[in-house]
Amino acid sequence: MTSETKAKIAIAGGGLLGRLLAWRLSQRNLDITLFEAGELSMPGGACWTAAGMISPLSELVNSEKQVYTQGLQSLNLWSDWSRLLEQQSGSAVEFRRAGSVLVAHGKDRSELVQFLRELQGKLGESAREQVQPLDAKSLAKLEPALHSFEQGLYLRGEADINNHRLLPVLLHVLRENGVKLRERTKVNCAPGRILLAQGDEAFDGVIDCRGLGAKGQIEGLRGVRGEVMVVESREVVLQRPVRLLHPRYKLYAVPRSDGRTVIGATEIESEDMSPISVRSSMELSSALYSLNPAFAEARILETRVNCRPATMDNMPVIQNEQGLIRVNGLYRHGYLLAPAVVKQVENLVAQQLLQVV
Amino acid sequence: MNDLLTLYGKTFNSRLLVGTALYPSPAIMRESVQVSASEIITLSLRRQNPAQQQDNVFWDYIRESGCQLLPNTAGCKSPREAVELAKMSQEIFQTDWLKLEIIGDDYNLQPDPFGLVEAARKLVQLGFKVLPYCTDDLVLCRKLLDVGCEVLMPWGAPIGTGQGLLNKYNLQTLRERLSDVPLIIDAGIGAPSQAAEALEMGFDAVLLNTAIAKAQSPVLMAQAFKLAVESGRAAFNAGLMLRCQTASPSTPTLDMPFWQQAENMLQE
């Protein structure tokens, strides 16, 4: 097929969803254009702020079962897709399937019990197979830096991906695959059309993954503020994502290969994009310090703030009409759900194109 | 029967007040509030950027419930902080109702009784309808009434503990001594039976959040609490029987000689 006869697909929004979709569809003999309001080399969305955790079990406690089932599906897809992306780009994306560890301080022991109980409530007895209780000894073996903790849980199946490697790798592969990249281009979406300041452009299919950029087009779409910090420590080395359970202050710490650790994340019902608050930075820092006091001498390299796009049920939304698919609301589950959601959208695109032909 | 709850001159059918935090999603929060039949909901401005309050979809969503909003001063540690937050809440939520909360201890979030009285005095002067979250201390409660609070919200147990009514002696004393004051048990309620018990004891209402929001099915738990509160109130109105040591059959045992009955009683 020549380029004139290829179906033309426009993707609006160059965040995680937009890039993954563009990548997947670019392998299907389609003519893809990716529109991004900002710059693709410096993603401004939640995908860059996030820590890249893929933790279906930890997230299930506060979510619906669908988050878990799609999370498991995504885990397997990430495993394949990260390998493919590495082959295609020659660069590592650092997908790590080393599980995650949950700990709580002595007086918050009930948080671990409660966590297990909630998992059992939602998964039945199979929860037990996926969660391994840790005592001081087994914990120290798994995560030597957490030697002051007496108990914890090991969630063997969980994973994470280094989004600061993945997103540039995706961009590289999109270029290689001939995807047309149109940055600094703010657009609106309509069935079969991309609306630009200077006029409309026609496409066979439009996919809107603009996140909060689509506010007003998706009912109840809101931003949920999140704040993270990036620290660097030579003394404390974690092997895998660690979560601290506490009645009020939740913390995760995700170690990167370069000695940095991403810690987060607050969750505030507000679309406030201003810098991190003193309160939040104190809470995150003191929770981190309580993991291991040697973190006190870690250096704060960066703080990041963003708003996660979410709908009122905090579940992803896919709206499908002929010529326009809108995908949004991945909330705090971007990396956990994106592959499964992208798969669904791929199928919808294929169906729509069949109808056109 | 017309059994309304009257707080600051406003009447309500429901005697269950619920919070809006900690739910898995806003949609589940709203459905739970609906099912609970609550007419008063608390919400917190805490952690919001004062400079950025326009266009908050989440607040709009809560407002749409049509409930009386009861902004709280959660997380405040001094009267000054609480007064400032109260003014901000008043502006944003357009209500002079306020759940006054001043924390005296970081770990169990125990109210600071001294700061509470000071802040309540100030806020009443400013025209707020103050519902203070307080301990079950009679003297503290009296002082709060003295400075102009018309409703009190003594704790059952520390926030989020789900321990129920820990000091029933104190609570009973409050109920008896402050018989004309609307008393709402706030915090510490973990199970519907505990809420029912509070109403059976004659408390006017209960306020809770965690027990519903963190349940595996918040909506179902909201219903459980609604029923429990109705049941407890009905029981209070009906008049509970007194507890007694001796079993007394509901059907008279005509065939048993009375001296045998007396013998049984002596054996107790």
Side-chain angles (χ1 to χ4, degrees), chain B residues 32-53:
Chain B
S32 302
V33 170
Q34 271 163 9
V35 167
S36 77
S38 295
E39 294 160 291
I40 306 174
I41 54 179
T42 64
L43 68 179
S44 171
L45 257 196
R46 197 179 167 230
R47 313 208 68 148
Q48 301 286 325
N49 180 351
Q52 203 144 13
Q53 288 306 336

mmCIF file with all atom_site columns, all heavy atoms in Angstrom, chain B residues 32-53:
data_model
loop_
_atom_site.group_PDB
_atom_site.id
_atom_site.type_symbol
_atom_site.label_atom_id
_atom_site.label_alt_id
_atom_site.label_comp_id
_atom_site.label_asym_id
_atom_site.label_entity_id
_atom_site.label_seq_id
_atom_site.pdbx_PDB_ins_code
_atom_site.Cartn_x
_atom_site.Cartn_y
_atom_site.Cartn_z
_atom_site.occupancy
_atom_site.B_iso_or_equiv
_atom_site.pdbx_formal_charge
_atom_site.auth_seq_id
_atom_site.auth_comp_id
_atom_site.auth_asym_id
_atom_site.auth_atom_id
_atom_site.pdbx_PDB_model_num
ATOM 1   N N   . SER B 1 32 ? -22.450 6.811  48.491 1.00 0.00 ? 32 SER B N   1
ATOM 2   C CA  . SER B 1 32 ? -22.514 6.447  49.909 1.00 0.00 ? 32 SER B CA  1
ATOM 3   C C   . SER B 1 32 ? -23.281 7.498  50.702 1.00 0.00 ? 32 SER B C   1
ATOM 4   O O   . SER B 1 32 ? -24.093 7.160  51.570 1.00 0.00 ? 32 SER B O   1
ATOM 5   C CB  . SER B 1 32 ? -21.101 6.298  50.485 1.00 0.00 ? 32 SER B CB  1
ATOM 6   O OG  . SER B 1 32 ? -20.372 5.336  49.765 1.00 0.00 ? 32 SER B OG  1
ATOM 7   N N   . VAL B 1 33 ? -23.012 8.759  50.393 1.00 0.00 ? 33 VAL B N   1
ATOM 8   C CA  . VAL B 1 33 ? -23.717 9.835  51.100 1.00 0.00 ? 33 VAL B CA  1
ATOM 9   C C   . VAL B 1 33 ? -25.215 9.722  50.829 1.00 0.00 ? 33 VAL B C   1
ATOM 10  O O   . VAL B 1 33 ? -26.039 9.821  51.748 1.00 0.00 ? 33 VAL B O   1
ATOM 11  C CB  . VAL B 1 33 ? -23.179 11.221 50.671 1.00 0.00 ? 33 VAL B CB  1
ATOM 12  C CG1 . VAL B 1 33 ? -24.066 12.330 51.203 1.00 0.00 ? 33 VAL B CG1 1
ATOM 13  C CG2 . VAL B 1 33 ? -21.750 11.414 51.156 1.00 0.00 ? 33 VAL B CG2 1
ATOM 14  N N   . GLN B 1 34 ? -25.564 9.461  49.579 1.00 0.00 ? 34 GLN B N   1
ATOM 15  C CA  . GLN B 1 34 ? -26.983 9.334  49.240 1.00 0.00 ? 34 GLN B CA  1
ATOM 16  C C   . GLN B 1 34 ? -27.631 8.195  50.007 1.00 0.00 ? 34 GLN B C   1
ATOM 17  O O   . GLN B 1 34 ? -28.688 8.359  50.602 1.00 0.00 ? 34 GLN B O   1
ATOM 18  C CB  . GLN B 1 34 ? -27.148 9.080  47.735 1.00 0.00 ? 34 GLN B CB  1
ATOM 19  C CG  . GLN B 1 34 ? -27.266 10.371 46.943 1.00 0.00 ? 34 GLN B CG  1
ATOM 20  C CD  . GLN B 1 34 ? -27.005 10.157 45.457 1.00 0.00 ? 34 GLN B CD  1
ATOM 21  O OE1 . GLN B 1 34 ? -26.900 9.019  44.992 1.00 0.00 ? 34 GLN B OE1 1
ATOM 22  N NE2 . GLN B 1 34 ? -26.894 11.250 44.715 1.00 0.00 ? 34 GLN B NE2 1
ATOM 23  N N   . VAL B 1 35 ? -26.968 7.042  49.994 1.00 0.00 ? 35 VAL B N   1
ATOM 24  C CA  . VAL B 1 35 ? -27.535 5.869  50.645 1.00 0.00 ? 35 VAL B CA  1
ATOM 25  C C   . VAL B 1 35 ? -27.609 6.068  52.160 1.00 0.00 ? 35 VAL B C   1
ATOM 26  O O   . VAL B 1 35 ? -28.533 5.605  52.818 1.00 0.00 ? 35 VAL B O   1
ATOM 27  C CB  . VAL B 1 35 ? -26.710 4.607  50.274 1.00 0.00 ? 35 VAL B CB  1
ATOM 28  C CG1 . VAL B 1 35 ? -27.062 3.444  51.164 1.00 0.00 ? 35 VAL B CG1 1
ATOM 29  C CG2 . VAL B 1 35 ? -26.946 4.253  48.818 1.00 0.00 ? 35 VAL B CG2 1
ATOM 30  N N   . SER B 1 36 ? -26.651 6.787  52.717 1.00 0.00 ? 36 SER B N   1
ATOM 31  C CA  . SER B 1 36 ? -26.648 7.015  54.167 1.00 0.00 ? 36 SER B CA  1
ATOM 32  C C   . SER B 1 36 ? -27.800 7.923  54.580 1.00 0.00 ? 36 SER B C   1
ATOM 33  O O   . SER B 1 36 ? -28.151 7.987  55.750 1.00 0.00 ? 36 SER B O   1
ATOM 34  C CB  . SER B 1 36 ? -25.329 7.656  54.604 1.00 0.00 ? 36 SER B CB  1
ATOM 35  O OG  . SER B 1 36 ? -25.322 9.043  54.287 1.00 0.00 ? 36 SER B OG  1
ATOM 36  N N   . ALA B 1 37 ? -28.384 8.642  53.599 1.00 0.00 ? 37 ALA B N   1
ATOM 37  C CA  . ALA B 1 37 ? -29.464 9.606  53.834 1.00 0.00 ? 37 ALA B CA  1
ATOM 38  C C   . ALA B 1 37 ? -29.018 10.776 54.709 1.00 0.00 ? 37 ALA B C   1
ATOM 39  O O   . ALA B 1 37 ? -29.840 11.522 55.222 1.00 0.00 ? 37 ALA B O   1
ATOM 40  C CB  . ALA B 1 37 ? -30.701 8.921  54.417 1.00 0.00 ? 37 ALA B CB  1
ATOM 41  N N   . SER B 1 38 ? -27.727 10.945 54.856 1.00 0.00 ? 38 SER B N   1
ATOM 42  C CA  . SER B 1 38 ? -27.224 12.070 55.643 1.00 0.00 ? 38 SER B CA  1
ATOM 43  C C   . SER B 1 38 ? -27.611 13.385 54.985 1.00 0.00 ? 38 SER B C   1
ATOM 44  O O   . SER B 1 38 ? -27.695 13.491 53.766 1.00 0.00 ? 38 SER B O   1
ATOM 45  C CB  . SER B 1 38 ? -25.690 12.020 55.710 1.00 0.00 ? 38 SER B CB  1
ATOM 46  O OG  . SER B 1 38 ? -25.290 10.890 56.406 1.00 0.00 ? 38 SER B OG  1
ATOM 47  N N   . GLU B 1 39 ? -27.833 14.377 55.838 1.00 0.00 ? 39 GLU B N   1
ATOM 48  C CA  . GLU B 1 39 ? -28.164 15.699 55.306 1.00 0.00 ? 39 GLU B CA  1
ATOM 49  C C   . GLU B 1 39 ? -27.085 16.714 55.641 1.00 0.00 ? 39 GLU B C   1
ATOM 50  O O   . GLU B 1 39 ? -27.157 17.868 55.246 1.00 0.00 ? 39 GLU B O   1
ATOM 51  C CB  . GLU B 1 39 ? -29.504 16.162 55.871 1.00 0.00 ? 39 GLU B CB  1
ATOM 52  C CG  . GLU B 1 39 ? -30.669 15.311 55.404 1.00 0.00 ? 39 GLU B CG  1
ATOM 53  C CD  . GLU B 1 39 ? -31.869 15.464 56.316 1.00 0.00 ? 39 GLU B CD  1
ATOM 54  O OE1 . GLU B 1 39 ? -31.814 15.003 57.476 1.00 0.00 ? 39 GLU B OE1 1
ATOM 55  O OE2 . GLU B 1 39 ? -32.854 16.076 55.876 1.00 0.00 ? 39 GLU B OE2 1
ATOM 56  N N   . ILE B 1 40 ? -26.097 16.271 56.416 1.00 0.00 ? 40 ILE B N   1
ATOM 57  C CA  . ILE B 1 40 ? -24.985 17.156 56.771 1.00 0.00 ? 40 ILE B CA  1
ATOM 58  C C   . ILE B 1 40 ? -23.692 16.412 56.450 1.00 0.00 ? 40 ILE B C   1
ATOM 59  O O   . ILE B 1 40 ? -23.499 15.277 56.894 1.00 0.00 ? 40 ILE B O   1
ATOM 60  C CB  . ILE B 1 40 ? -25.006 17.504 58.277 1.00 0.00 ? 40 ILE B CB  1
ATOM 61  C CG1 . ILE B 1 40 ? -26.364 18.084 58.664 1.00 0.00 ? 40 ILE B CG1 1
ATOM 62  C CG2 . ILE B 1 40 ? -23.876 18.472 58.622 1.00 0.00 ? 40 ILE B CG2 1
ATOM 63  C CD1 . ILE B 1 40 ? -26.539 18.316 60.157 1.00 0.00 ? 40 ILE B CD1 1
ATOM 64  N N   . ILE B 1 41 ? -22.834 17.029 55.652 1.00 0.00 ? 41 ILE B N   1
ATOM 65  C CA  . ILE B 1 41 ? -21.569 16.374 55.341 1.00 0.00 ? 41 ILE B CA  1
ATOM 66  C C   . ILE B 1 41 ? -20.388 17.290 55.651 1.00 0.00 ? 41 ILE B C   1
ATOM 67  O O   . ILE B 1 41 ? -20.434 18.478 55.403 1.00 0.00 ? 41 ILE B O   1
ATOM 68  C CB  . ILE B 1 41 ? -21.501 15.881 53.872 1.00 0.00 ? 41 ILE B CB  1
ATOM 69  C CG1 . ILE B 1 41 ? -21.785 16.998 52.880 1.00 0.00 ? 41 ILE B CG1 1
ATOM 70  C CG2 . ILE B 1 41 ? -22.464 14.737 53.648 1.00 0.00 ? 41 ILE B CG2 1
ATOM 71  C CD1 . ILE B 1 41 ? -21.699 16.550 51.431 1.00 0.00 ? 41 ILE B CD1 1
ATOM 72  N N   . THR B 1 42 ? -19.354 16.678 56.217 1.00 0.00 ? 42 THR B N   1
ATOM 73  C CA  . THR B 1 42 ? -18.165 17.471 56.536 1.00 0.00 ? 42 THR B CA  1
ATOM 74  C C   . THR B 1 42 ? -17.176 17.373 55.389 1.00 0.00 ? 42 THR B C   1
ATOM 75  O O   . THR B 1 42 ? -17.145 16.398 54.638 1.00 0.00 ? 42 THR B O   1
ATOM 76  C CB  . THR B 1 42 ? -17.458 16.961 57.811 1.00 0.00 ? 42 THR B CB  1
ATOM 77  O OG1 . THR B 1 42 ? -16.987 15.639 57.581 1.00 0.00 ? 42 THR B OG1 1
ATOM 78  C CG2 . THR B 1 42 ? -18.374 16.976 58.989 1.00 0.00 ? 42 THR B CG2 1
ATOM 79  N N   . LEU B 1 43 ? -16.388 18.396 55.262 1.00 0.00 ? 43 LEU B N   1
ATOM 80  C CA  . LEU B 1 43 ? -15.348 18.398 54.236 1.00 0.00 ? 43 LEU B CA  1
ATOM 81  C C   . LEU B 1 43 ? -14.218 19.294 54.698 1.00 0.00 ? 43 LEU B C   1
ATOM 82  O O   . LEU B 1 43 ? -14.418 20.174 55.538 1.00 0.00 ? 43 LEU B O   1
ATOM 83  C CB  . LEU B 1 43 ? -15.904 18.798 52.877 1.00 0.00 ? 43 LEU B CB  1
ATOM 84  C CG  . LEU B 1 43 ? -16.400 20.211 52.632 1.00 0.00 ? 43 LEU B CG  1
ATOM 85  C CD1 . LEU B 1 43 ? -16.881 20.318 51.190 1.00 0.00 ? 43 LEU B CD1 1
ATOM 86  C CD2 . LEU B 1 43 ? -17.581 20.549 53.519 1.00 0.00 ? 43 LEU B CD2 1
ATOM 87  N N   . SER B 1 44 ? -13.048 19.028 54.157 1.00 0.00 ? 44 SER B N   1
ATOM 88  C CA  . SER B 1 44 ? -11.872 19.716 54.659 1.00 0.00 ? 44 SER B CA  1
ATOM 89  C C   . SER B 1 44 ? -11.184 20.513 53.565 1.00 0.00 ? 44 SER B C   1
ATOM 90  O O   . SER B 1 44 ? -11.008 20.039 52.458 1.00 0.00 ? 44 SER B O   1
ATOM 91  C CB  . SER B 1 44 ? -10.890 18.692 55.216 1.00 0.00 ? 44 SER B CB  1
ATOM 92  O OG  . SER B 1 44 ? -9.675  19.348 55.502 1.00 0.00 ? 44 SER B OG  1
ATOM 93  N N   . LEU B 1 45 ? -10.810 21.708 53.927 1.00 0.00 ? 45 LEU B N   1
ATOM 94  C CA  . LEU B 1 45 ? -10.048 22.548 52.999 1.00 0.00 ? 45 LEU B CA  1
ATOM 95  C C   . LEU B 1 45 ? -8.567  22.303 53.146 1.00 0.00 ? 45 LEU B C   1
ATOM 96  O O   . LEU B 1 45 ? -7.758  22.885 52.453 1.00 0.00 ? 45 LEU B O   1
ATOM 97  C CB  . LEU B 1 45 ? -10.294 24.019 53.339 1.00 0.00 ? 45 LEU B CB  1
ATOM 98  C CG  . LEU B 1 45 ? -11.240 24.790 52.464 1.00 0.00 ? 45 LEU B CG  1
ATOM 99  C CD1 . LEU B 1 45 ? -11.053 26.260 52.718 1.00 0.00 ? 45 LEU B CD1 1
ATOM 100 C CD2 . LEU B 1 45 ? -10.988 24.503 50.994 1.00 0.00 ? 45 LEU B CD2 1
ATOM 101 N N   . ARG B 1 46 ? -8.207  21.472 54.081 1.00 0.00 ? 46 ARG B N   1
ATOM 102 C CA  . ARG B 1 46 ? -6.813  21.257 54.386 1.00 0.00 ? 46 ARG B CA  1
ATOM 103 C C   . ARG B 1 46 ? -6.016  20.919 53.126 1.00 0.00 ? 46 ARG B C   1
ATOM 104 O O   . ARG B 1 46 ? -6.516  20.250 52.227 1.00 0.00 ? 46 ARG B O   1
ATOM 105 C CB  . ARG B 1 46 ? -6.730  20.080 55.355 1.00 0.00 ? 46 ARG B CB  1
ATOM 106 C CG  . ARG B 1 46 ? -5.425  20.018 56.057 1.00 0.00 ? 46 ARG B CG  1
ATOM 107 C CD  . ARG B 1 46 ? -5.430  18.841 57.020 1.00 0.00 ? 46 ARG B CD  1
ATOM 108 N NE  . ARG B 1 46 ? -4.064  18.631 57.434 1.00 0.00 ? 46 ARG B NE  1
ATOM 109 C CZ  . ARG B 1 46 ? -3.455  17.457 57.404 1.00 0.00 ? 46 ARG B CZ  1
ATOM 110 N NH1 . ARG B 1 46 ? -4.092  16.405 57.006 1.00 0.00 ? 46 ARG B NH1 1
ATOM 111 N NH2 . ARG B 1 46 ? -2.215  17.366 57.794 1.00 0.00 ? 46 ARG B NH2 1
ATOM 112 N N   . ARG B 1 47 ? -4.833  21.384 53.045 1.00 0.00 ? 47 ARG B N   1
ATOM 113 C CA  . ARG B 1 47 ? -3.913  21.099 51.960 1.00 0.00 ? 47 ARG B CA  1
ATOM 114 C C   . ARG B 1 47 ? -4.265  21.802 50.669 1.00 0.00 ? 47 ARG B C   1
ATOM 115 O O   . ARG B 1 47 ? -3.686  21.530 49.636 1.00 0.00 ? 47 ARG B O   1
ATOM 116 C CB  . ARG B 1 47 ? -3.831  19.598 51.674 1.00 0.00 ? 47 ARG B CB  1
ATOM 117 C CG  . ARG B 1 47 ? -3.667  18.759 52.885 1.00 0.00 ? 47 ARG B CG  1
ATOM 118 C CD  . ARG B 1 47 ? -2.965  17.513 52.546 1.00 0.00 ? 47 ARG B CD  1
ATOM 119 N NE  . ARG B 1 47 ? -1.606  17.830 52.189 1.00 0.00 ? 47 ARG B NE  1
ATOM 120 C CZ  . ARG B 1 47 ? -0.586  17.020 52.416 1.00 0.00 ? 47 ARG B CZ  1
ATOM 121 N NH1 . ARG B 1 47 ? -0.785  15.881 52.995 1.00 0.00 ? 47 ARG B NH1 1
ATOM 122 N NH2 . ARG B 1 47 ? 0.628   17.362 52.069 1.00 0.00 ? 47 ARG B NH2 1
ATOM 123 N N   . GLN B 1 48 ? -5.274  22.652 50.694 1.00 0.00 ? 48 GLN B N   1
ATOM 124 C CA  . GLN B 1 48 ? -5.594  23.356 49.465 1.00 0.00 ? 48 GLN B CA  1
ATOM 125 C C   . GLN B 1 48 ? -4.788  24.643 49.430 1.00 0.00 ? 48 GLN B C   1
ATOM 126 O O   . GLN B 1 48 ? -4.522  25.248 50.461 1.00 0.00 ? 48 GLN B O   1
ATOM 127 C CB  . GLN B 1 48 ? -7.088  23.686 49.419 1.00 0.00 ? 48 GLN B CB  1
ATOM 128 C CG  . GLN B 1 48 ? -7.973  22.464 49.486 1.00 0.00 ? 48 GLN B CG  1
ATOM 129 C CD  . GLN B 1 48 ? -7.976  21.681 48.196 1.00 0.00 ? 48 GLN B CD  1
ATOM 130 O OE1 . GLN B 1 48 ? -7.892  22.247 47.116 1.00 0.00 ? 48 GLN B OE1 1
ATOM 131 N NE2 . GLN B 1 48 ? -8.050  20.366 48.293 1.00 0.00 ? 48 GLN B NE2 1
ATOM 132 N N   . ASN B 1 49 ? -4.443  25.040 48.262 1.00 0.00 ? 49 ASN B N   1
ATOM 133 C CA  . ASN B 1 49 ? -3.702  26.276 48.082 1.00 0.00 ? 49 ASN B CA  1
ATOM 134 C C   . ASN B 1 49 ? -4.682  27.448 48.141 1.00 0.00 ? 49 ASN B C   1
ATOM 135 O O   . ASN B 1 49 ? -5.563  27.549 47.302 1.00 0.00 ? 49 ASN B O   1
ATOM 136 C CB  . ASN B 1 49 ? -3.005  26.224 46.723 1.00 0.00 ? 49 ASN B CB  1
ATOM 137 C CG  . ASN B 1 49 ? -2.203  27.460 46.449 1.00 0.00 ? 49 ASN B CG  1
ATOM 138 O OD1 . ASN B 1 49 ? -2.281  28.440 47.177 1.00 0.00 ? 49 ASN B OD1 1
ATOM 139 N ND2 . ASN B 1 49 ? -1.431  27.420 45.385 1.00 0.00 ? 49 ASN B ND2 1
ATOM 140 N N   . PRO B 1 50 ? -4.539  28.318 49.151 1.00 0.00 ? 50 PRO B N   1
ATOM 141 C CA  . PRO B 1 50 ? -5.511  29.399 49.296 1.00 0.00 ? 50 PRO B CA  1
ATOM 142 C C   . PRO B 1 50 ? -5.590  30.308 48.065 1.00 0.00 ? 50 PRO B C   1
ATOM 143 O O   . PRO B 1 50 ? -6.605  30.934 47.804 1.00 0.00 ? 50 PRO B O   1
ATOM 144 C CB  . PRO B 1 50 ? -5.018  30.187 50.512 1.00 0.00 ? 50 PRO B CB  1
ATOM 145 C CG  . PRO B 1 50 ? -3.718  29.616 50.902 1.00 0.00 ? 50 PRO B CG  1
ATOM 146 C CD  . PRO B 1 50 ? -3.499  28.341 50.171 1.00 0.00 ? 50 PRO B CD  1
ATOM 147 N N   . ALA B 1 51 ? -4.506  30.337 47.309 1.00 0.00 ? 51 ALA B N   1
ATOM 148 C CA  . ALA B 1 51 ? -4.483  31.244 46.157 1.00 0.00 ? 51 ALA B CA  1
ATOM 149 C C   . ALA B 1 51 ? -5.193  30.641 44.948 1.00 0.00 ? 51 ALA B C   1
ATOM 150 O O   . ALA B 1 51 ? -5.323  31.276 43.922 1.00 0.00 ? 51 ALA B O   1
ATOM 151 C CB  . ALA B 1 51 ? -3.037  31.576 45.806 1.00 0.00 ? 51 ALA B CB  1
ATOM 152 N N   . GLN B 1 52 ? -5.629  29.408 45.068 1.00 0.00 ? 52 GLN B N   1
ATOM 153 C CA  . GLN B 1 52 ? -6.129  28.728 43.877 1.00 0.00 ? 52 GLN B CA  1
ATOM 154 C C   . GLN B 1 52 ? -7.407  27.967 44.169 1.00 0.00 ? 52 GLN B C   1
ATOM 155 O O   . GLN B 1 52 ? -7.399  26.763 44.311 1.00 0.00 ? 52 GLN B O   1
ATOM 156 C CB  . GLN B 1 52 ? -5.063  27.751 43.384 1.00 0.00 ? 52 GLN B CB  1
ATOM 157 C CG  . GLN B 1 52 ? -5.211  27.426 41.921 1.00 0.00 ? 52 GLN B CG  1
ATOM 158 C CD  . GLN B 1 52 ? -3.867  27.270 41.267 1.00 0.00 ? 52 GLN B CD  1
ATOM 159 O OE1 . GLN B 1 52 ? -2.855  27.171 41.926 1.00 0.00 ? 52 GLN B OE1 1
ATOM 160 N NE2 . GLN B 1 52 ? -3.841  27.258 39.956 1.00 0.00 ? 52 GLN B NE2 1
ATOM 161 N N   . GLN B 1 53 ? -8.495  28.687 44.302 1.00 0.00 ? 53 GLN B N   1
ATOM 162 C CA  . GLN B 1 53 ? -9.710  28.012 44.717 1.00 0.00 ? 53 GLN B CA  1
ATOM 163 C C   . GLN B 1 53 ? -10.809 28.017 43.680 1.00 0.00 ? 53 GLN B C   1
ATOM 164 O O   . GLN B 1 53 ? -11.839 27.408 43.868 1.00 0.00 ? 53 GLN B O   1
ATOM 165 C CB  . GLN B 1 53 ? -10.217 28.607 46.033 1.00 0.00 ? 53 GLN B CB  1
ATOM 166 C CG  . GLN B 1 53 ? -9.368  28.238 47.232 1.00 0.00 ? 53 GLN B CG  1
ATOM 167 C CD  . GLN B 1 53 ? -9.190  26.737 47.371 1.00 0.00 ? 53 GLN B CD  1
ATOM 168 O OE1 . GLN B 1 53 ? -9.999  25.967 46.882 1.00 0.00 ? 53 GLN B OE1 1
ATOM 169 N NE2 . GLN B 1 53 ? -8.130  26.323 48.019 1.00 0.00 ? 53 GLN B NE2 1
#
